[in-house]
Amino acid sequence: MDPVLDDHMHLDPVNGRGVEACEEFADHGGTHLLVLNKPSWHYGVAVEERDDFRTAYDHTVDVVRESNEVLAGRAWPVLGVHPALISQLVERGYAPEEARDLMCAGLDAAAEYVADGTALALKSGRPHYEVDEAVWAASNEVMRHAFALGADLGCAVQLHTEGGEDFTEVAEWAEAAGMRREHVVKHYSTGGVVGPTPSVLADREELVRAAEREVPFMMETDFIDDPDRPGAVLGPKTVPRRTRWLREEGYDEALERAHVETPRMVYGIDTRGTLE
């Protein structure tokens, strides 16, 4: 068995399928998962202080523990603050700077899980939709705080951002904070993203673009685990299916990069060594 890693999946043990979605992934050949916490509001929490973020973090840690019982490899939590939270906070009356400080506190809480080995990496980013200059500036400061934490902890940071392919400036911010740019992961990437390490949404055309560039990349579904949106963004079986298709097309070296070499470079994980 070869490793098959989905770099960005949500599993919701409260409102969604939870470990059942992981079982579907495993049944189709998936072996390793990075599980991202859903935003706090999915659990009915309107955050007002640092510890309010822990509800979402703890649900993610719990479902990862259950997932490790069904995977041939293993799963890891990636914890942090969804960048869209800033808009919710501003709508609730927070100034952008106040929202920034609360989100940075949420990242500090996530960093504690990384520091004690419970979580593998952090997540952060900035809105993928249009916002005013003050919110944009505050969001960039939150992201740069995540980079400072990543540097201190020696861990990767996954980013949820706007679309596009040139994120060189963002990678330079990470380097200025003390991170290696390859430890910054652009979630929901196309195959042509430059700057951070691309985590490519498992679309055939974009995966081929990444494979043929001969650069480090990973694959993801961004499965949301929302019963009102079944299969969104892509279903749990997609990465194993795309992996089989790429192998049939002769992209063996690219698959070794996506499922073994890049995860080792970015996260320090051994996807071969953690297979049963």
Side-chain angles (χ1 to χ4, degrees):
M1 174 182 283
D2 290 316
V4 176
L5 169 76
D6 189 325
D7 185 56
H8 190 109
M9 181 183 286
H10 303 278
L11 296 175
D12 186 339
V14 176
N15 308 296
R17 297 174 60 196
V19 72
E20 291 181 5
C22 177
E23 290 172 346
E24 181 179 346
F25 172 72
D27 288 345
H28 285 80
T31 62
H32 294 78
L33 281 177
L34 268 62
V35 183
L36 284 287
N37 64 277
K38 293 178 78 170
S40 299
W41 61 84
H42 284 264
Y43 301 106
V45 177
V47 295
E48 296 180 351
E49 58 186 26
R50 170 185 174 133
D51 284 347
D52 290 339
F53 291 92
R54 296 186 185 275
T55 297
Y57 299 164
D58 289 341
H59 283 315
T60 305
V61 170
D62 289 344
V63 79
V64 164
R65 187 179 301 113
E66 294 177 3
S67 296
N68 281 328
E69 298 298 319
V70 302
L71 290 169
R74 65 164 295 181
W76 294 269
V78 176
L79 305 178
V81 181
H82 195 286
L85 176 62
I86 195 167
S87 297
Q88 293 201 14
L89 292 173
V90 169
E91 288 174 4
R92 284 165 49 193
Y94 285 74
E97 296 77 16
E98 294 172 325
R100 173 202 64 202
D101 292 347
L102 180 54
M103 293 171 72
C104 287
L107 285 168
D108 291 341
E112 294 176 1
Y113 291 73
V114 178
D116 70 13
T118 303
L120 179 67
L122 298 172
K123 79 166 187 177
S124 185
R126 60 192 183 192
H128 61 277
Y129 48 88
E130 188 172 347
V131 294
D132 65 34
E133 290 185 9
V135 169
W136 186 252
S139 297
N140 279 322
E141 290 173 9
V142 173
M143 183 165 58
R144 296 179 83 152
H145 183 67
F147 294 152
L149 291 171
D152 288 343
L153 293 163
C155 75
V157 177
Q158 278 205 28
L159 297 181
H160 177 116
T161 74
E162 75 281 7
E165 294 195 332
D166 187 355
F167 290 89
T168 305
E169 181 182 46
V170 170
E172 290 171 348
W173 290 349
E175 287 180 325
M179 291 186 67
R180 292 170 52 188
R181 67 170 57 197
E182 54 265 37
H183 291 171
V184 181
V185 178
K186 171 64 175 77
H187 145 65
Y188 210 97
S189 282
T190 64
V193 161
V194 295
T197 299
S199 182
V200 180
L201 193 68
D203 169 85
R204 292 189 184 197
E205 181 178 337
E206 296 301 334
L207 290 173
V208 168
R209 285 183 69 201
E212 294 188 345
R213 286 175 63 208
E214 299 186 356
V215 297
F217 76 101
M218 290 175 285
M219 301 166 61
E220 67 169 73
T221 55
D222 191 23
F223 175 65
I224 292 176
D225 200 9
D226 183 342
D228 295 328
R229 301 174 63 194
V233 170
L234 296 173
K237 65 184 75 172
T238 309
V239 164
R241 284 180 166 178
R242 294 291 184 263
T243 296
R244 286 194 296 273
W245 176 76
L246 286 168
R247 200 169 300 284
E248 291 167 359
E249 296 295 313
Y251 289 103
D252 292 50
E253 291 184 5
L255 290 173
E256 185 74 7
R257 289 202 306 278
H259 295 310
V260 180
E261 295 172 4
T262 305
R264 181 172 60 236
M265 176 188 74
V266 173
Y267 303 113
I269 58 178
D270 181 359
T271 54
R272 289 203 185 280
T274 49
L275 279 174
E276 289 181 350

